[in-house]
Amino acid sequence: MSHSPHVAAGRVAGARDPHELTDWIRGFADAGTGSPLRHVRTLPAREGEQIALPDWVEPSLMAALAQRGVTRLWSHQALAAEEIRQCRNTAIATGTASGKSLGYLLPGLTSVIEGTRAPNGRGATMLYVAPTKALAADQAAHIEALQLPGVRCATYDGDTPPDERRWIRNHANVVLTNPDLVHHSLLPGHARWASFLRALRLVVIDESHAYRGVFGSNVALVLRRLRRVLARYRADPVFVFASATAGEPGTHARALAGLPVTEITQDGSPRGAVTFALWEPRPSAGEDGIPRRPAAGTEAARLLAALVAAQIQTLTFARSRAGVEAVAAAANRHLHALGSSERVAAYRGGYLPEERRALEAALRTGELRGLAATNALELGIDIQGLDAVVMAGWPGRLSSLWQQAGRAGRGGQASLAVLIGADDPLDAYLMEHPELIFEAPIEATVIHPDNPRLLARHLLAAAHELPVTVADTALFGPGMLPALAGLEAAGAVRRRPTGWFWPHDGRPEGIGSLRTAGEVLAIVEEASGRVVGTIDDASADHQVHPGAVHVHQGRSFVVTDLDRAAATATVVPGDPGWSTIAQSRSEFDLATPDAVQLAAAVTVCRGAVTVRTQVVSFTRRLPGGEVLGRHPLELPERTFTTEGLWWHLPEAVLHASGLSGPRIAGSVHAAEHAAIGMLSLFATCDRWDIGGVSSAAHPATGEPTILIYDGYPGGAGYAARGFEVLPAWLAATRELIAGCPCERGCPRCVVSPKCGNGNEPLDKEGAGIVLAVIGAALAAAT
């Protein structure tokens, strides 16, 4: 919260010079055979713009800030504080470590302190909602450190004991929680929160860019339910959305809450110079003499160790929990080989809170010079003064990239950021097009609160909380009445003259998790009955089928049984020495499209699709890739309806372009894979959030057809975004394929890690022809 430079004990003396960091990364890259550096850019430093603290700030709060060296505000903090004080909903979207929290804490805590003069000492309250428990705890620590008279601050999450929960409901005036607890606890039990809710003046939705896809759509519906309950208690608080730099943050905030929002995006805080390097691992010959390209995590571990050995404090991001542990272990082996006494640690979900706090403290003091982490450290936990950030693979979105890179150089000092390209279509494309990182606008965040499956679940919860009335259409949209009709027909709700009611004892079952669109299965150890993890229903057949090898927190388990009725997958510990990959078959039915584009011979459609998938077998592979065998499975066919876009064109057009009939199936299959890999460049999704199916002659169209669909029942908005940007998306996909140096296809272009057909058939050259024909048609139509 302080604006003074952060100086940590034990750190290397003196601020880093950007030339020093640039020279270091170039020298390390040139030390091997063939430089992996694809691009280096220095982002210049920026001066800050300061404004005096407003005179309405409560004196005890002003004094507490002054003790920490805060006597002036950055311009965006001052603007946000004034907007909130004037009771205007506000979205603050500025860079990492720009002090967004002070912009809402000034008016929020001032109101809370002023409210302590009420007879019950709680005339004004504040609710803070963060996507993770760690972030809420970190924010609570900042508020408590101010030692403000009358401010009773408490975190309320799944770890809070029952006695503390009662005290918080009855006495706290600042409550910090997460959307899951609002969904599962606060809203169903709102009567017990009555005095807190009546006095609610400010609702903070922190890290709002994290609410995207299904999770974001669920949170949007939770916020609409919260607004209904607040109206019951005649409360009309200001909503504040704090976000990292993001595209259209005001639009996203309005979609989340359904409220008008003022947008603040001009960052008035200072920033040190950033040396940003794009790094693509180079193949090297193995023991068998065959050149192999190191994985992004392997390269990240080598770079992390070298930076730490050079006394450059570094944070490395990896994509998974297991990847984090592997990077940390490999980096420590490299440090040992270098003769360095330094060590690095891992940081990920699943650690105890005290373990995480100890690691965060060691980073702040400089005692720990290297850390490998998941994106749990991407969010706003207060870690200052790092010298460098290494990202093992594209993090999925530009907003995440800049959030991660911003973890270094906090306090205005120079920093180094390195993005290591993974063996993936999008990573490969970005290595060739640095302008898409440094010059492209931050992508907009996609949510879909109109998803009929999600809407029905939340209307069920809303009816349990308070009767749903026709007037609530203003909150839930035009899909509300059809969804209620379906729930009424199923006996889930009952209609009376005053609205739709929950007619049963107890709470509704099946409203489920906010973070998935379906149910969650427990992964249970057979001998002990211990739950070792969870998995969403949509992934269960592929990842925890009988015989699957499932890796959890670095430990291997073999699945012995999958029982959907009991929502469990039973496992036994042990590493058999091989991995497993499931194979599936998919078919799709196309509904009448909602929108159609005609471009010469190409027809592009967007609308509802029904996808039928069935996992039919799995393959066992040794670490070197050798196949040990394929084993059949007897699992049921899964059917769900979602949103998709599809395009088709006559076979004769492809023949005229030199693509013979037998090659069409492999060509559209390869084009589908590459397009899925590239959609993340245009929509805020991961390739695992979307699916695809292709057909050389689909029954509904009679022509070669490619379908891309949202991987969640009801849709998540990704395919709809793809429909809007189709020409640019497919042009980038074609360029990726044409620029890949492989002959027949590889993971950097058309080979997919999630293909249910084992990547057969694939025709890389034919995919380029298909995309060229479609691209020419789309260009001619514009």
Side-chain angles (χ1 to χ4, degrees):
M1 202 175 292
S2 173
H3 297 328
S4 58
H6 179 82
V7 181
R11 286 185 46 77
V12 179
R16 291 290 179 183
D17 182 278
H19 298 295
E20 173 195 354
L21 294 169
T22 303
D23 291 345
W24 188 94
I25 193 68
R26 288 189 182 278
F28 183 73
D30 293 340
T33 303
S35 174
L37 273 183
R38 299 301 305 273
H39 186 83
V40 178
R41 184 170 299 199
T42 299
L43 308 179
R46 179 185 65 214
E47 295 292 329
E49 181 183 353
Q50 291 190 315
I51 294 175
L53 281 163
D55 56 11
W56 50 256
V57 176
E58 208 281 332
S60 63
L61 174 57
M62 191 174 289
L65 293 173
Q67 288 180 350
R68 286 157 180 77
V70 180
T71 56
R72 297 175 67 80
L73 301 177
W74 304 125
S75 57
H76 64 276
Q77 294 172 326
L79 179 58
E82 289 294 344
E83 290 291 320
I84 298 164
R85 184 69 174 177
Q86 296 301 319
C87 298
R88 287 190 279 268
N89 303 313
T90 305
I92 316 167
T94 54
T96 308
S98 60
K100 291 182 286 290
S101 61
L102 196 54
Y104 58 75
L105 286 177
L106 282 177
L109 293 177
T110 291
S111 293
V112 168
I113 297 169
E114 290 170 347
T116 60
R117 300 170 193 137
N120 67 352
R122 195 157 70 157
T125 60
M126 172 178 163
L127 179 67
Y128 169 95
V129 181
T132 66
K133 291 189 291 186
L135 190 53
D138 188 72
Q139 190 68 248
H142 281 301
I143 296 172
E144 289 168 351
L146 294 172
Q147 297 182 329
L148 298 170
V151 172
R152 300 186 295 273
C153 172
T155 56
Y156 189 94
D157 57 37
D159 298 330
T160 307
D163 288 346
E164 288 187 28
R165 291 189 178 204
R166 282 191 292 272
W167 184 91
I168 292 168
R169 290 193 297 266
N170 294 330
H171 301 288
N173 47 26
V174 178
V175 173
L176 303 102
T177 186
N178 53 66
D180 311 84
L181 262 292
V182 176
H183 169 57
H184 286 295
S185 181
L186 189 154
L187 289 174
H190 62 82
R192 294 178 295 171
W193 288 86
S195 67
F196 178 87
L197 296 174
R198 283 193 189 98
L200 192 59
R201 299 291 180 269
L202 185 67
V203 178
V204 177
I205 310 298
D206 203 1
E207 304 292 352
S208 59
H209 62 283
Y211 301 119
R212 57 182 181 267
V214 167
F215 183 34
S217 302
N218 272 316
V219 170
L221 290 163
V222 168
L223 293 180
R224 284 154 174 76
R225 285 164 48 203
L226 175 62
R227 288 177 56 203
R228 270 184 9 110
V229 168
L230 289 172
R232 161 70 176 77
Y233 295 100
R234 299 183 180 179
D236 186 21
V238 176
F239 280 76
V240 177
F241 300 84
S243 170
T245 302
E248 303 175 12
T251 300
H252 179 52
R254 287 188 285 273
L256 277 172
L259 291 166
V261 175
T262 299
E263 180 180 282
I264 297 172
T265 57
Q266 189 65 41
D267 193 335
S269 65
R271 184 190 69 186
V274 182
T275 298
F276 206 121
L278 304 186
W279 184 286
E280 189 166 30
R282 292 302 185 201
S284 58
E287 294 180 359
D288 55 5
I290 300 175
R292 290 186 176 86
R293 184 182 189 271
T298 302
E299 195 79 339
R302 187 171 73 91
L303 189 55
L304 172 60
L307 285 161
V308 169
Q311 300 295 295
I312 299 173
Q313 193 180 32
T314 304
L315 172 62
T316 295
F317 286 100
R319 290 176 172 176
S320 67
R321 293 180 177 186
V324 163
E325 298 285 2
V327 167
N332 281 321
R333 289 195 295 270
H334 286 301
L335 285 166
H336 179 74
L338 292 169
S340 172
S341 61
E342 300 286 354
R343 289 293 176 267
V344 304
Y347 182 107
R348 56 170 177 75
Y351 283 8
L352 295 174
E354 54 267 29
E355 294 174 319
R356 291 196 301 268
R357 296 290 173 267
L359 289 170
E360 293 161 13
L363 269 186
R364 293 187 188 108
T365 63
E367 176 188 349
L368 183 63
R369 298 204 185 278
L371 190 69
T374 60
N375 61 3
L377 270 184
E378 177 185 315
L379 301 178
I381 297 170
D382 183 21
I383 294 176
Q384 303 185 24
L386 299 175
D387 297 314
V389 165
V390 175
M391 294 161 277
W394 171 248
R397 286 155 291 275
L398 272 173
S399 58
S400 293
L401 180 87
W402 292 115
Q403 185 83 343
Q404 292 183 5
R407 280 308 196 180
R410 305 181 81 149
Q413 64 184 13
S415 62
L416 170 68
V418 183
L419 172 63
I420 299 177
D423 217 5
D424 177 90
L426 185 52
D427 290 50
Y429 189 79
L430 290 169
M431 291 291 132
E432 297 286 346
H433 292 275
E435 72 277 5
L436 295 177
I437 292 175
F438 300 107
E439 296 160 25
I442 303 295
E443 60 274 281
T445 303
V446 176
I447 61 172
H448 184 33
D450 297 328
N451 179 318
R453 182 184 176 101
L454 302 184
L455 179 59
R457 287 167 47 185
H458 285 274
L459 287 173
L460 202 61
H464 170 255
E465 293 153 7
L466 292 170
V468 179
T469 68
V470 173
D472 289 327
T473 304
L475 284 171
F476 294 113
M480 185 189 85
L481 294 179
L484 285 171
L487 292 172
E488 185 181 0
V493 297
R494 183 174 300 161
R495 188 175 187 182
R496 295 175 181 167
T498 53
W500 287 264
F501 288 73
W502 169 250
H504 309 288
D505 293 331
R507 295 183 180 183
E509 295 182 0
I511 57 175
S513 166
L514 298 182
R515 302 182 188 247
T516 67
E519 300 304 312
V520 175
L521 281 70
I523 302 171
V524 179
E525 193 172 37
E526 185 176 272
S528 65
R530 180 175 64 94
V531 176
V532 298
T534 59
I535 191 167
D536 62 280
D537 178 76
S539 304
D541 284 358
H542 283 84
Q543 297 187 30
V544 290
H545 57 76
V549 177
H550 179 74
V551 179
H552 180 78
Q553 295 187 12
R555 295 186 63 201
S556 293
F557 298 85
V558 177
V559 181
T560 59
D561 182 56
L562 174 60
D563 185 345
R564 285 188 173 275
T568 59
T570 305
V571 299
V572 295
D575 184 356
W578 60 76
S579 61
T580 54
I581 302 174
Q583 281 79 46
S584 63
R585 62 184 178 206
S586 300
E587 296 177 342
F588 56 99
D589 300 324
L590 305 176
T592 301
D594 300 327
V596 178
Q597 296 177 18
L598 299 176
V602 177
T603 303
V604 183
C605 304
R606 183 197 71 211
V609 297
T610 299
V611 181
R612 303 190 305 277
T613 65
Q614 184 178 19
V615 174
V616 295
S617 63
F618 71 95
T619 299
R620 292 183 298 136
R621 292 180 182 270
L622 292 173
E626 301 90 339
V627 175
L628 292 177
R630 178 171 293 180
H631 308 274
L633 289 168
E634 295 184 4
L635 295 173
E637 183 178 81
R638 305 292 173 192
T639 302
F640 68 96
T641 300
T642 184
E643 286 190 336
L645 78 152
W646 60 95
W647 55 90
H648 55 91
L649 69 168
E651 186 174 326
V653 173
L654 296 177
H655 288 169
S657 299
L659 196 60
S660 62
R663 296 179 59 193
I664 289 177
S667 300
V668 294
H669 191 196
E672 169 219 324
H673 280 186
I676 288 173
M678 289 299 292
L679 183 55
S680 298
L681 187 63
F682 300 90
T684 50
C685 65
D686 186 90
R687 71 182 304 157
W688 300 94
D689 293 327
I690 50 179
V693 190
S694 55
S695 172
H698 190 269
T701 64
E703 297 178 342
T705 303
I706 296 174
L707 164 70
I708 307 294
Y709 60 87
D710 295 346
Y712 300 98
Y718 304 134
R721 176 63 177 163
F723 184 80
E724 295 171 1
V725 298
L726 186 67
W729 170 26
L730 295 188
T733 304
R734 180 188 174 200
E735 185 180 346
L736 165 78
I737 293 174
C740 187
C742 72
E743 293 184 9
R744 300 174 60 98
C746 70
R748 298 176 74 247
C749 55
V750 300
V751 172
S752 170
K754 55 181 288 191
C755 180
N757 297 315
N759 286 292
E760 291 292 341
L762 287 179
D763 188 326
K764 176 189 174 184
E765 181 186 24
I769 294 172
V770 170
L771 293 168
V773 171
I774 296 172
L778 293 173
T782 56

